[in-house]
Amino acid sequence: MPEVTTSNSGVGPDSTGVSDAGLDGVHEAVRHICPLNEVLDRVSGKWAIGVLTLTGAEEVVRFTEFERGIPGISRRMLTLTLRNLERDGLLTRTVYATVPPRTEYRLTEAAQELAQTLSLLTDWAKRHQAHVQASRVAYDETH
Amino acid sequence: MPEVTTSNSGVGPDSTGVSDAGLDGVHEAVRHICPLNEVLDRVSGKWAIGVLTLTGAEEVVRFTEFERGIPGISRRMLTLTLRNLERDGLLTRTVYATVPPRTEYRLTEAAQELAQTLSLLTDWAKRHQAHVQASRVAYDETH
DNA sequence: CTGAATCCGCCGTGATACTG
DNA sequence: CAGTATCACGGCGGATTCAG
C-alpha cells in the first residue's frame, strides 16, 4: 500500500470505485471530523491489542514470546500485526544477526501513551460489561 | 445471533473449529485479560464511531439526520450499526407511531461515558497522527 | 528461530429494489 | 419516513508449506 488509502485496515472496500471520485471527498471529511477512526483502524483486528498490552507489560518482547503469550494467534497474523504496528511507528523492531536469529520488539513512546489511554477504555469496559451483556440478552429475547 | 458467539464482530471465525475445544478456553482467557477487545468489537466498523459522536453532539437524532450527518453511509449499514448499538445498550430507540413514522435515537448513560473516553483517544490521535503518517511514509519507502 | 508465500473460506460492506 | 430483502464483491483471517 504505497499510496493514500493506507488507513482503513477494516473490512470495507473504501468507496467501491463507484461513480465519481466525489465520495472520497466526503469520506475524507468524515475522517477529518473523527480521527478516532484512524486509531481504531490501527488497533482493530483481533490481535493488535494483545500485542500492545503484552509489550506494554514486558517492555521487551521476542517473537516466540508473543506466540506463547497470545494463545490462538497464528504465525502469519502475528507477523502481519507486528508489521502494521511497526509501520505505524508504534513498535520498534530490532533484529540481531545471530544464530539462531533473534528479534526484539518494544513500544515507542507514542504507543506507550496509547496504551495508557486504552487502559481507560478497559476501565469503561469493566464497569459496563455487565450492563452490556444484560442488554444483549434482553434484546435477543425480545427480537 | 441468538447464542453465545455474540461478541467478535470482527472477521475471524473465532477458533476455526480446529482440533479440540481447548482453544475456546484460552481464547476466553485472552478476553478476560483484555476486555478492551469487547469494547473495540462494539465500536469497530466504519460507522459506529460516527453514530456515537453524532448522537453525543446532538442529544437526539432521527434516522434521516444520521443519513445526512454521516456522508457515504448506506441505509443498510446505518440500520445495522444502529441495531448493534441498541442491542449493546448504548443507544435507545424510540418509535412514534405517527404518519409519517418517526424514530428517535439517544445515547444511554453508559454510552455517554464511553464517548468521553473515546474523546481521549481522539486526542491521542490528533497528537500523534503526524508521527504515524511520517512513520508510514518512511516504512513504505524502505520496504 | 523468524519469518515469507500460497490457497481458501467467511463475513462485513455496498447496490438495488421493495414495504408499511 | 424508516426501514427490510436479496445479491454480489472484496479483503481479512487461518492453515499450511517453504526459506534464511
Side-chain angles (χ1 to χ4, degrees):
Chain A
M1 284 185 190
E3 216 41 49
V4 202
T5 59
T6 33
S7 55
N8 184 44
S9 75
V11 186
D14 217 29
S15 82
T16 350
V18 154
S19 55
D20 54 348
L23 286 185
D24 282 337
V26 293
H27 189 261
E28 208 49 44
V30 178
R31 287 215 170 277
H32 177 70
I33 292 177
C34 194
L36 230 190
N37 278 311
E38 297 188 6
V39 200
L40 292 174
D41 281 351
R42 215 157 283 128
V43 163
S44 81
K46 276 165 83 174
W47 311 111
I49 305 285
V51 169
L52 246 28
T53 57
L54 184 57
T55 317
E58 303 278 338
E59 284 282 328
V60 174
V61 186
R62 296 184 51 188
F63 192 88
T64 317
E65 295 180 317
F66 281 122
E67 286 195 295
R68 287 196 308 265
I70 307 177
I73 195 173
S74 64
R75 259 190 186 70
R76 172 186 151 86
M77 290 318 296
L78 178 55
T79 302
L80 288 181
T81 305
L82 255 18
R83 285 299 183 282
N84 281 333
L85 259 19
E86 182 194 0
R87 192 172 95 104
D88 289 342
L90 300 180
L91 278 184
T92 63
R93 176 167 169 266
T94 333
V95 182
Y96 299 93
T98 61
V99 272
R102 172 199 187 86
T103 313
E104 290 182 351
Y105 295 88
R106 327 170 176 251
L107 291 185
T108 63
E109 290 187 18
Q112 292 179 27
E113 288 185 37
L114 177 58
Q116 287 185 352
T117 310
L118 289 180
S119 74
L120 295 178
L121 259 193
T122 308
D123 289 342
W124 181 93
K126 285 179 182 170
R127 272 184 287 129
H128 295 285
Q129 64 184 358
H131 169 256
V132 170
Q133 268 213 326
S135 297
R136 283 221 251 232
V137 173
Y139 185 94
D140 289 340
E141 280 176 355
T142 57
H143 295 77
Chain B
M1 282 186 194
E3 217 40 49
V4 201
T5 59
T6 35
S7 56
N8 183 41
S9 76
V11 186
D14 220 29
S15 83
T16 350
V18 156
S19 55
D20 54 348
L23 286 184
D24 281 338
V26 293
H27 188 262
E28 209 49 45
V30 177
R31 287 215 170 275
H32 178 70
I33 291 177
C34 193
L36 230 190
N37 277 311
E38 299 189 5
V39 200
L40 292 174
D41 280 351
R42 215 156 284 128
V43 162
S44 80
K46 277 166 81 173
W47 311 111
I49 304 286
V51 169
L52 247 26
T53 55
L54 184 56
T55 317
E58 303 278 337
E59 284 281 330
V60 174
V61 185
R62 298 183 50 184
F63 192 88
T64 316
E65 294 179 318
F66 280 121
E67 286 194 294
R68 287 197 308 265
I70 307 177
I73 196 172
S74 65
R75 258 189 188 71
R76 172 186 152 86
M77 289 320 297
L78 178 55
T79 301
L80 287 180
T81 304
L82 255 18
R83 286 300 185 282
N84 282 333
L85 260 19
E86 181 194 1
R87 192 171 95 103
D88 288 342
L90 300 181
L91 279 184
T92 63
R93 175 165 169 268
T94 332
V95 183
Y96 298 92
T98 61
V99 271
R102 172 199 188 87
T103 312
E104 291 182 350
Y105 295 89
R106 330 175 173 245
L107 292 185
T108 64
E109 289 188 17
Q112 291 179 27
E113 288 185 36
L114 177 59
Q116 286 185 352
T117 310
L118 288 180
S119 75
L120 295 178
L121 260 193
T122 309
D123 289 342
W124 182 92
K126 285 179 182 172
R127 271 184 288 127
H128 296 284
Q129 64 183 358
H131 169 255
V132 170
Q133 270 214 325
S135 296
R136 285 222 249 234
V137 173
Y139 185 92
D140 290 340
E141 280 176 356
T142 58
H143 294 77

